[in-house]
Each structure stands twice: as C-alpha cells, then as structure tokens.
Amino acid sequence: MDSHFPAIISLSLIFVLFNASFAHSSTIGVGYISRILEIQDRERAPPAVQVAAARAVLRRLLPSHTSSFHFEIVSKEQCGGDPCFMIKNNPSFSSHGDPEILIMGVTGVEISAGLHWYLKYWCGSHISWDKTGGAQLFSVPRAGLLPRVQDAGIVVQRPIPWNYYQNAVSSSYSFAWWDWKRWEKEIDWMALQGINLPLAFTGQEAIWQKVFQKFNVSKTDLDNFFGGPAFLAWSRMGNLHGWGGPLPQSWLDQQLILQKKILARMYELGMTPVLPAFSGNVPAALTYIFPSAKITRLGNWFSVKSDPKVCCTYLLDATDPLFVEIGKAFINEQLKEYGRTGHIYNCDTFDENTPPVDVPEYISSLGAAIFRGMQTGDDDAVWLMQGWLFSYDPFWRPLQTKALLQSVPLGRLVVLDLFAEVKPIWITSEQFYGVPYIWCMLHNFAGNSEMYGILDSVASGPVDARKSENSTMVGVGMSMEGIEQNPVVYDLMSEMAFQHNKVDVKLWIHLYSKRRYGQSVPLIQDAWNILYNTVYNCTDGAYDKNRDVIVAFPDVDPSFISVPHERYNHQRKSLSRRAAIEQITDSFDKPHLWYSTSEVIHALELFIASGDELSESNTYRYDLVDLTRQAVAKYANQLFLKVIEAYRLNDIHGVACHTQKFLDLVEDMDTLLGCHEGFLLGPWLESAQKLAQDEEQKKQFEWNARTQITMWFDNTEEEASLLHDYGNKYWSGLLRDYYGPRAAIYFKFLLESLEKSHDFQLKDWRREWIKLTNDWQRSRKAFPVESTGNALNISRWLYNKYLQSSDT
C-alpha cells in the first residue's frame, strides 16, 4: 500500500501548488454579489456549530480516525480574502490519539472539503455515492500513521465563491423517496465535495397548503393541484397538476419535518440552501375566488388526452397585484416555519412556459414583478434562475433575454448556465448581458444509465469562463437531472470549485483509477485511458438522452427503420459502426453513439483481466457492471437492426433467430445488473412503499415510482405517453419483468406479419404494449433489494457470449 503514496503526493502538488500563495481569481460578477456574500458571512452558524457539524461528517465517514484530525474555523482574511481551506501538520503530535493533521476552513463546508482533499491526494482514497461503489477508504493508513504534508502546509482557495448543486427535477428523479438517513448521507457528500449552494425544495407543498388556505383555497382544490410524489417537480414548475396525486396529509407533514432537518444540517455546515419562490403557478380555484385576477390557462404540456385534470395549468400574471401578495406570503410562511433563510430563492416562471407576448417592455415588467414578489417577503432576496429556457426556446432572442435579465437590480439575479459543458450561453449572450451567472454541468437527463461525459470540457470550461474578459461568473455547479451515475464525471466537476487553472485530464484520470480502487493496476489504468478518450470524450454536441433499444424500444413500423446493407462488425472502422446507427430514420430517436465500440470492448477486456486483483473492490464491481452493460447495450442496438434487416428480407428464420438472441440478451443483462446494488429496481420501489402510512398509500406511491420510469405521463389504449421511456433505467428486475416482455410483443407482431403475409399491425402492437405497461404500473410484485451473483464471472460470461466474436 505504501508504494503508491509518493506518486499521489507528487501529483497532488501539481493540483495545489498554484494555490500555495493567495491567488485572487475574482470576477466583476463577484463584485456584483458582494452584498449577499457579506450577509451570508454575517448570518452563518457560529464557528463551534460548524466545527461540530464537520466533525460529525468525519465520524460518519471514517470513525476510526476521529481523533486524527483537528478542525478549526478561520476568517477570510486569514485565507487572503477568499474562502479557503488549509491543511497543516500538527506540530504537537507525539503519540497515538493526538491529532495528526490540522484542517482549517472558512466554513464547515471548506473544512469538510479540506478533509476530502487530504484523503484524496495524500491517502489515495475515493468518495462517491453508495450506489456507484461508495467510499474507497482502505488505502487510508491507520490512525497514528497518516502521511504528513509539506512543512509550510497547504492552502487551497476557492477561485469563485459558489459551488451550486441540483436541478429542479433532481428532487423527483433521484430524491423522491428519500428519508432522513439518505438525506444525511447526501449532505455529507455535498460537504465533502465543497458544495455550498444546494437547492432545498423538500416539503414546500406543506408551505403552499398553508399559504393558499389564506387565499381561501380548499384542501380539495389543492388535491387537484399538487402532483404525486414522483411528479412534484413538474407540478411545481406548472407543467402539470394532479398527476399521481392527491398527496395525503401525512406526506405533506412528513416532508415538512424532513425539510427542517435538511435545512438545519445545511446551515450547521455553513451552506446556503436555496429555497423556492412563487413563480405564478396557481390552483384552478383562484380563477373563481379572484375572478378579476389576470390568470391564464397554459397550453398542453405533453399530455396525450389533453385531460384538464392533469394538463393545462394556470399561471397568474406577474403584473397582477395578487402575484406580489402570494409571493410575499410564501416567503413569510417559509421564514415562519424554518426560522431563517439564506436569502437566495429559485424561481423559473418561464421554464417550458413561454410568455404570451415578446415585447421587451412587457417581459421586463414581468421580471421586475416576479422579483418584487420575493423582495416584499425578504428585503435581501436574490433570485436564482435556471437558464435552461435560453438553451431550447427560440422565443428568447437577444432583446427578450436582455429585457428579462436586466429587469432586476444588478446583483439581485443570478442565472444558472445550466448546460455549459455542451451549450454555454455565457459565450453567446455577452456574459448574460452583465448579470452574474454560475457555470453548470448538466450532464445527465432523467437519471438514465449511460457511460457518458465530456471530461475535457469540465476540466477547462469553468476556467475559460472565469478568465474571460469582463467575466460575470460567480460560481460553478452540477445541475444533473439524476444522480448516482458516472462517478468520474462528478469527482472532476466538484474539484473544479477549487481549481484555478485547467486540469490535465490525462494525468488526473491516471490518478483517479488508483484512488478509485485503492491500488495501481496497469491494465486498469490503460482501460481508463481508453474510456477517457471514448465514452468520456463526447464532442458531437448532442443531448445524451439514453435511447438504447432495450430501454427505449422503438414505437414505429419496421418499414420506417433503415438498416445497413453490410453486416455489423465491431472490428471495422468506427465510421461504418456509427453509420449502422445513423441509417435509422428520424421516425424515432436514434441511439446516441459517439465513440468506437471496439475500443470500449477492449477496455472491458482489460477490466476483466484485472478482476482477480480487484474483485473485492466495490468500486471495481460497480464499474465492471456498468462497462459491461454499456458494451452489451450497444451490441443489442445492432442486434435489433439485424432483426429488422431479416424482416425486410422476409427471412422468417432470421427474424426468429435474432429476436430470440435479443430476448436472451435482455435476460442475461438483467442477471448482470443484479450483481450490484447500484442497478436494482427493488430499492426504488421499496423506498416508495416505506414512506406510505397505509395500504392505499403503498399502492399510490408504488404506482408513482413505476410510472415515472416507464410510461411517465398519460396514455390512451392506442397512443402511448409522449414522454414514455424518458425516465428509463438499466435496473435488474425492470429488464426481465418489463423491457424484455415489451420487446417480445413487438417481435411477435413482426413474425406474425411475415407468417400471414400482411403489414405490421402497429395499432395492435401499441395496444398490447400499452396494456402491458399499464398493468405493470399497477403491479405490486416485489423485487430484490440486495445484489446477488458474481459480477466478474457474469461479466466474463457475457463478454464471451456476445462480444468476443465479431459475428452477430
């Protein structure tokens, strides 16, 4: 174990020496938010509270070393004027039980981040979510034998004040069923990653209930307003209402209690939780309670039936006096319930809701009114807005964007450049027309399983933005829709909160593989170098929504699917491999392929070859399962094309042969996924049931959980939801019980079409598939919550069965 410490220490110097002196990296944007930064510093929890909270993080993470570290809060002035952490040797250390390492920071978050930095670069450890392998801490030496840092100590400053975390929909795709135990783990993870500006959206429905009752809205009216537990994110944004509901009173009460615990812990650590603000989304009842109010019924948002019970929500015009009244009441009710605020509020009135008029003066009046709704409740309010609307909605041309952004006093609006690693808006908007912004990595949609990333962009994009001329950047952030995937991407992105210069990813990934598994394995390092240059080097600018055939089966007549004229061979040049996918027509979403599959298969070969050395490592097992899943899934896409090719040639035997192979593959992959806790359906369903108070709630909550990952929204007998498979997952149980049977129905109609010499019966296929889905949504079948099977053996078996031969 000791042999790899010198390499870790020497490379760690590359990362921290630029911070050894007090290097200021401030932007003009930081100057604009200086007022709220001063307020945050003044109102933070007392130093003793923050130190105790950071020590509790250490105790939960590494209980054997609680006496090995001494923590202390220091001032910004001691850090050279910016937030920082310091790592020093304890000069008084003499015997076992004495603190060996001193870690100081401006807040409890900086202390926790300093602890992580030390464990990472002096002890060779690695920390990720439990579902992605958890923490690798066995490389940390015993208490009393911890590595010393250089005599002068280490100082690491934040180049930019804020490190933001979450997306407005993370609360539904990932956090929907969390209890306090899981939230405590997440807040610990946040602190260790240096996150100091997290969203805190839990429990707001209980606040809204109290607020709307003051405006004479009944509980029955609210039953039709709030979405179900798995769809709250979209009912909060005004995209839908009532879907999956109504919310039981016990849910509202439980979630409010949970939110108070979440906020208390965040404040103890020195974080600034971002609370919600009023966006204008109101219950239908307000239209008759306040008949003169300017309330507009919005259009259909992805509903098949256009059912008024779930679609076409109501938006109160921000220029109506009632808007400010409700906005103030909501802020005041949060202050009353929570006792304090961090003064930063998220509001996304126009997220997938386009304003009715594009006149800049009108848009400016809307923006000013929305902010006034916050400010009347909190004079120090700062509006945090997701910038997603500027990425996708053509409505937001320069004049309209500028009108909205400049409608709020400078420094009182901060924009999240939500998709900056792929589509940075700061470049095309003159740094958001002078408004402070946070450079965010979106990365993941709906919590889909896909090995994907743009590591070079992550390692350089925030630095380019911060160092650009007249930069208004004030932070970095992670704005993924779903978490617990691709730990390498989040490890690097969280580190950018402390990096002043671009990171050499090739060097960084070399060290990552050592830390991830606790030892240096040359073949694994070679494999990670391949992965860095393939799956983690997506430069085509495409949105990475996983549309693999297994999890997003094409709902299309096979005659509209083009097939390659040559047989697929993963040893051929990468262009022809990509062409095999790209020749599928636009009648359904094509699976995204941006790399050479043969190279990734070679990386898998290296992983398998290293299995005897690493099979006891949980992080290795997660990565092995994920990499095998990735390789086999892309093979399955090609196998599906062989099915279609045989169908187009009227080859009944070929269709039968290839469809059986596809269905066998789905079963085999389900077995593979069952080898690791990070790929199980069972925990998602069980956690939903655990929050229920009675049998009816269990049915409702489980229906919510099952629906989100399958049909998502409403359907008819012959028309599937427009959002079906958006929340798809590669989870053991889901493949065997749902994705496989669905594919089998489609294949049945393919064979029937050939055998009876008639066209493919698309409507019949849809009827059976939709019935299968709706029955599955209502099912109460239980699935394993613990992994079984040997990941290395199963991976080796799947490789030999599907990937070793070049012939499909």
Side-chain angles (χ1 to χ4, degrees), residues 93-106:
F93 171 70
S94 59
S95 61
H96 182 74
D98 291 339
E100 302 168 67
I101 299 296
L102 311 179
I103 300 180
M104 293 151 281
V106 171

mmCIF file with all atom_site columns, all heavy atoms in Angstrom, residues 93-106:
data_model
loop_
_atom_site.group_PDB
_atom_site.id
_atom_site.type_symbol
_atom_site.label_atom_id
_atom_site.label_alt_id
_atom_site.label_comp_id
_atom_site.label_asym_id
_atom_site.label_entity_id
_atom_site.label_seq_id
_atom_site.pdbx_PDB_ins_code
_atom_site.Cartn_x
_atom_site.Cartn_y
_atom_site.Cartn_z
_atom_site.occupancy
_atom_site.B_iso_or_equiv
_atom_site.pdbx_formal_charge
_atom_site.auth_seq_id
_atom_site.auth_comp_id
_atom_site.auth_asym_id
_atom_site.auth_atom_id
_atom_site.pdbx_PDB_model_num
ATOM 1   N N   . PHE A 1 93  ? 1.844   16.826 17.634 1.00 0.00 ? 93  PHE A N   1
ATOM 2   C CA  . PHE A 1 93  ? 1.568   15.387 17.583 1.00 0.00 ? 93  PHE A CA  1
ATOM 3   C C   . PHE A 1 93  ? 2.744   14.612 18.160 1.00 0.00 ? 93  PHE A C   1
ATOM 4   O O   . PHE A 1 93  ? 3.898   14.809 17.772 1.00 0.00 ? 93  PHE A O   1
ATOM 5   C CB  . PHE A 1 93  ? 1.327   14.939 16.152 1.00 0.00 ? 93  PHE A CB  1
ATOM 6   C CG  . PHE A 1 93  ? 1.238   13.445 15.994 1.00 0.00 ? 93  PHE A CG  1
ATOM 7   C CD1 . PHE A 1 93  ? 0.145   12.751 16.494 1.00 0.00 ? 93  PHE A CD1 1
ATOM 8   C CD2 . PHE A 1 93  ? 2.253   12.730 15.367 1.00 0.00 ? 93  PHE A CD2 1
ATOM 9   C CE1 . PHE A 1 93  ? 0.057   11.372 16.370 1.00 0.00 ? 93  PHE A CE1 1
ATOM 10  C CE2 . PHE A 1 93  ? 2.172   11.359 15.232 1.00 0.00 ? 93  PHE A CE2 1
ATOM 11  C CZ  . PHE A 1 93  ? 1.068   10.673 15.728 1.00 0.00 ? 93  PHE A CZ  1
ATOM 12  N N   . SER A 1 94  ? 2.448   13.714 19.115 1.00 0.00 ? 94  SER A N   1
ATOM 13  C CA  . SER A 1 94  ? 3.528   12.928 19.724 1.00 0.00 ? 94  SER A CA  1
ATOM 14  C C   . SER A 1 94  ? 3.168   11.473 19.929 1.00 0.00 ? 94  SER A C   1
ATOM 15  O O   . SER A 1 94  ? 4.044   10.613 19.911 1.00 0.00 ? 94  SER A O   1
ATOM 16  C CB  . SER A 1 94  ? 3.927   13.546 21.074 1.00 0.00 ? 94  SER A CB  1
ATOM 17  O OG  . SER A 1 94  ? 2.808   13.579 21.955 1.00 0.00 ? 94  SER A OG  1
ATOM 18  N N   . SER A 1 95  ? 1.891   11.194 20.094 1.00 0.00 ? 95  SER A N   1
ATOM 19  C CA  . SER A 1 95  ? 1.531   9.804  20.381 1.00 0.00 ? 95  SER A CA  1
ATOM 20  C C   . SER A 1 95  ? 0.154   9.490  19.814 1.00 0.00 ? 95  SER A C   1
ATOM 21  O O   . SER A 1 95  ? -0.609  10.388 19.432 1.00 0.00 ? 95  SER A O   1
ATOM 22  C CB  . SER A 1 95  ? 1.529   9.554  21.894 1.00 0.00 ? 95  SER A CB  1
ATOM 23  O OG  . SER A 1 95  ? 0.572   10.383 22.529 1.00 0.00 ? 95  SER A OG  1
ATOM 24  N N   . HIS A 1 96  ? -0.146  8.207  19.747 1.00 0.00 ? 96  HIS A N   1
ATOM 25  C CA  . HIS A 1 96  ? -1.438  7.749  19.238 1.00 0.00 ? 96  HIS A CA  1
ATOM 26  C C   . HIS A 1 96  ? -2.562  8.386  20.042 1.00 0.00 ? 96  HIS A C   1
ATOM 27  O O   . HIS A 1 96  ? -2.529  8.423  21.273 1.00 0.00 ? 96  HIS A O   1
ATOM 28  C CB  . HIS A 1 96  ? -1.520  6.228  19.341 1.00 0.00 ? 96  HIS A CB  1
ATOM 29  C CG  . HIS A 1 96  ? -2.799  5.664  18.794 1.00 0.00 ? 96  HIS A CG  1
ATOM 30  N ND1 . HIS A 1 96  ? -3.061  5.589  17.452 1.00 0.00 ? 96  HIS A ND1 1
ATOM 31  C CD2 . HIS A 1 96  ? -3.901  5.178  19.438 1.00 0.00 ? 96  HIS A CD2 1
ATOM 32  C CE1 . HIS A 1 96  ? -4.263  5.067  17.272 1.00 0.00 ? 96  HIS A CE1 1
ATOM 33  N NE2 . HIS A 1 96  ? -4.785  4.810  18.465 1.00 0.00 ? 96  HIS A NE2 1
ATOM 34  N N   . GLY A 1 97  ? -3.551  8.914  19.332 1.00 0.00 ? 97  GLY A N   1
ATOM 35  C CA  . GLY A 1 97  ? -4.667  9.580  19.983 1.00 0.00 ? 97  GLY A CA  1
ATOM 36  C C   . GLY A 1 97  ? -4.598  11.087 19.852 1.00 0.00 ? 97  GLY A C   1
ATOM 37  O O   . GLY A 1 97  ? -5.619  11.767 20.026 1.00 0.00 ? 97  GLY A O   1
ATOM 38  N N   . ASP A 1 98  ? -3.404  11.611 19.559 1.00 0.00 ? 98  ASP A N   1
ATOM 39  C CA  . ASP A 1 98  ? -3.278  13.045 19.314 1.00 0.00 ? 98  ASP A CA  1
ATOM 40  C C   . ASP A 1 98  ? -3.672  13.348 17.875 1.00 0.00 ? 98  ASP A C   1
ATOM 41  O O   . ASP A 1 98  ? -3.450  12.528 16.978 1.00 0.00 ? 98  ASP A O   1
ATOM 42  C CB  . ASP A 1 98  ? -1.830  13.508 19.519 1.00 0.00 ? 98  ASP A CB  1
ATOM 43  C CG  . ASP A 1 98  ? -1.401  13.442 20.973 1.00 0.00 ? 98  ASP A CG  1
ATOM 44  O OD1 . ASP A 1 98  ? -2.287  13.427 21.846 1.00 0.00 ? 98  ASP A OD1 1
ATOM 45  O OD2 . ASP A 1 98  ? -0.187  13.402 21.218 1.00 0.00 ? 98  ASP A OD2 1
ATOM 46  N N   . PRO A 1 99  ? -4.221  14.541 17.628 1.00 0.00 ? 99  PRO A N   1
ATOM 47  C CA  . PRO A 1 99  ? -4.484  14.920 16.229 1.00 0.00 ? 99  PRO A CA  1
ATOM 48  C C   . PRO A 1 99  ? -3.181  14.973 15.435 1.00 0.00 ? 99  PRO A C   1
ATOM 49  O O   . PRO A 1 99  ? -2.173  15.516 15.916 1.00 0.00 ? 99  PRO A O   1
ATOM 50  C CB  . PRO A 1 99  ? -5.107  16.307 16.358 1.00 0.00 ? 99  PRO A CB  1
ATOM 51  C CG  . PRO A 1 99  ? -5.620  16.390 17.749 1.00 0.00 ? 99  PRO A CG  1
ATOM 52  C CD  . PRO A 1 99  ? -4.690  15.564 18.574 1.00 0.00 ? 99  PRO A CD  1
ATOM 53  N N   . GLU A 1 100 ? -3.200  14.404 14.244 1.00 0.00 ? 100 GLU A N   1
ATOM 54  C CA  . GLU A 1 100 ? -2.020  14.406 13.387 1.00 0.00 ? 100 GLU A CA  1
ATOM 55  C C   . GLU A 1 100 ? -2.055  15.515 12.354 1.00 0.00 ? 100 GLU A C   1
ATOM 56  O O   . GLU A 1 100 ? -1.030  16.078 11.976 1.00 0.00 ? 100 GLU A O   1
ATOM 57  C CB  . GLU A 1 100 ? -1.903  13.059 12.652 1.00 0.00 ? 100 GLU A CB  1
ATOM 58  C CG  . GLU A 1 100 ? -1.823  11.854 13.571 1.00 0.00 ? 100 GLU A CG  1
ATOM 59  C CD  . GLU A 1 100 ? -2.003  10.557 12.802 1.00 0.00 ? 100 GLU A CD  1
ATOM 60  O OE1 . GLU A 1 100 ? -1.118  10.223 11.999 1.00 0.00 ? 100 GLU A OE1 1
ATOM 61  O OE2 . GLU A 1 100 ? -3.049  9.903  12.992 1.00 0.00 ? 100 GLU A OE2 1
ATOM 62  N N   . ILE A 1 101 ? -3.270  15.809 11.867 1.00 0.00 ? 101 ILE A N   1
ATOM 63  C CA  . ILE A 1 101 ? -3.436  16.764 10.780 1.00 0.00 ? 101 ILE A CA  1
ATOM 64  C C   . ILE A 1 101 ? -4.424  17.846 11.211 1.00 0.00 ? 101 ILE A C   1
ATOM 65  O O   . ILE A 1 101 ? -5.491  17.546 11.774 1.00 0.00 ? 101 ILE A O   1
ATOM 66  C CB  . ILE A 1 101 ? -3.966  16.065 9.512  1.00 0.00 ? 101 ILE A CB  1
ATOM 67  C CG1 . ILE A 1 101 ? -2.979  14.986 9.041  1.00 0.00 ? 101 ILE A CG1 1
ATOM 68  C CG2 . ILE A 1 101 ? -4.218  17.078 8.393  1.00 0.00 ? 101 ILE A CG2 1
ATOM 69  C CD1 . ILE A 1 101 ? -1.618  15.507 8.612  1.00 0.00 ? 101 ILE A CD1 1
ATOM 70  N N   . LEU A 1 102 ? -4.069  19.090 10.953 1.00 0.00 ? 102 LEU A N   1
ATOM 71  C CA  . LEU A 1 102 ? -4.935  20.219 11.239 1.00 0.00 ? 102 LEU A CA  1
ATOM 72  C C   . LEU A 1 102 ? -5.590  20.683 9.944  1.00 0.00 ? 102 LEU A C   1
ATOM 73  O O   . LEU A 1 102 ? -4.901  20.910 8.937  1.00 0.00 ? 102 LEU A O   1
ATOM 74  C CB  . LEU A 1 102 ? -4.121  21.378 11.828 1.00 0.00 ? 102 LEU A CB  1
ATOM 75  C CG  . LEU A 1 102 ? -3.173  21.051 12.989 1.00 0.00 ? 102 LEU A CG  1
ATOM 76  C CD1 . LEU A 1 102 ? -2.427  22.294 13.439 1.00 0.00 ? 102 LEU A CD1 1
ATOM 77  C CD2 . LEU A 1 102 ? -3.948  20.431 14.152 1.00 0.00 ? 102 LEU A CD2 1
ATOM 78  N N   . ILE A 1 103 ? -6.909  20.805 9.948  1.00 0.00 ? 103 ILE A N   1
ATOM 79  C CA  . ILE A 1 103 ? -7.632  21.297 8.776  1.00 0.00 ? 103 ILE A CA  1
ATOM 80  C C   . ILE A 1 103 ? -8.471  22.497 9.200  1.00 0.00 ? 103 ILE A C   1
ATOM 81  O O   . ILE A 1 103 ? -9.285  22.400 10.123 1.00 0.00 ? 103 ILE A O   1
ATOM 82  C CB  . ILE A 1 103 ? -8.527  20.210 8.154  1.00 0.00 ? 103 ILE A CB  1
ATOM 83  C CG1 . ILE A 1 103 ? -7.671  19.012 7.724  1.00 0.00 ? 103 ILE A CG1 1
ATOM 84  C CG2 . ILE A 1 103 ? -9.292  20.778 6.955  1.00 0.00 ? 103 ILE A CG2 1
ATOM 85  C CD1 . ILE A 1 103 ? -8.454  17.883 7.107  1.00 0.00 ? 103 ILE A CD1 1
ATOM 86  N N   . MET A 1 104 ? -8.215  23.601 8.550  1.00 0.00 ? 104 MET A N   1
ATOM 87  C CA  . MET A 1 104 ? -8.920  24.847 8.853  1.00 0.00 ? 104 MET A CA  1
ATOM 88  C C   . MET A 1 104 ? -9.672  25.308 7.615  1.00 0.00 ? 104 MET A C   1
ATOM 89  O O   . MET A 1 104 ? -9.222  25.096 6.491  1.00 0.00 ? 104 MET A O   1
ATOM 90  C CB  . MET A 1 104 ? -7.920  25.912 9.292  1.00 0.00 ? 104 MET A CB  1
ATOM 91  C CG  . MET A 1 104 ? -7.268  25.581 10.635 1.00 0.00 ? 104 MET A CG  1
ATOM 92  S SD  . MET A 1 104 ? -5.606  26.266 10.788 1.00 0.00 ? 104 MET A SD  1
ATOM 93  C CE  . MET A 1 104 ? -4.678  25.086 9.831  1.00 0.00 ? 104 MET A CE  1
ATOM 94  N N   . GLY A 1 105 ? -10.795 25.956 7.828  1.00 0.00 ? 105 GLY A N   1
ATOM 95  C CA  . GLY A 1 105 ? -11.576 26.444 6.704  1.00 0.00 ? 105 GLY A CA  1
ATOM 96  C C   . GLY A 1 105 ? -12.467 27.589 7.116  1.00 0.00 ? 105 GLY A C   1
ATOM 97  O O   . GLY A 1 105 ? -12.738 27.787 8.305  1.00 0.00 ? 105 GLY A O   1
ATOM 98  N N   . VAL A 1 106 ? -12.938 28.340 6.130  1.00 0.00 ? 106 VAL A N   1
ATOM 99  C CA  . VAL A 1 106 ? -13.776 29.498 6.401  1.00 0.00 ? 106 VAL A CA  1
ATOM 100 C C   . VAL A 1 106 ? -15.154 29.072 6.904  1.00 0.00 ? 106 VAL A C   1
ATOM 101 O O   . VAL A 1 106 ? -15.783 29.776 7.690  1.00 0.00 ? 106 VAL A O   1
ATOM 102 C CB  . VAL A 1 106 ? -13.883 30.370 5.129  1.00 0.00 ? 106 VAL A CB  1
ATOM 103 C CG1 . VAL A 1 106 ? -14.927 31.466 5.286  1.00 0.00 ? 106 VAL A CG1 1
ATOM 104 C CG2 . VAL A 1 106 ? -12.525 30.992 4.819  1.00 0.00 ? 106 VAL A CG2 1
#
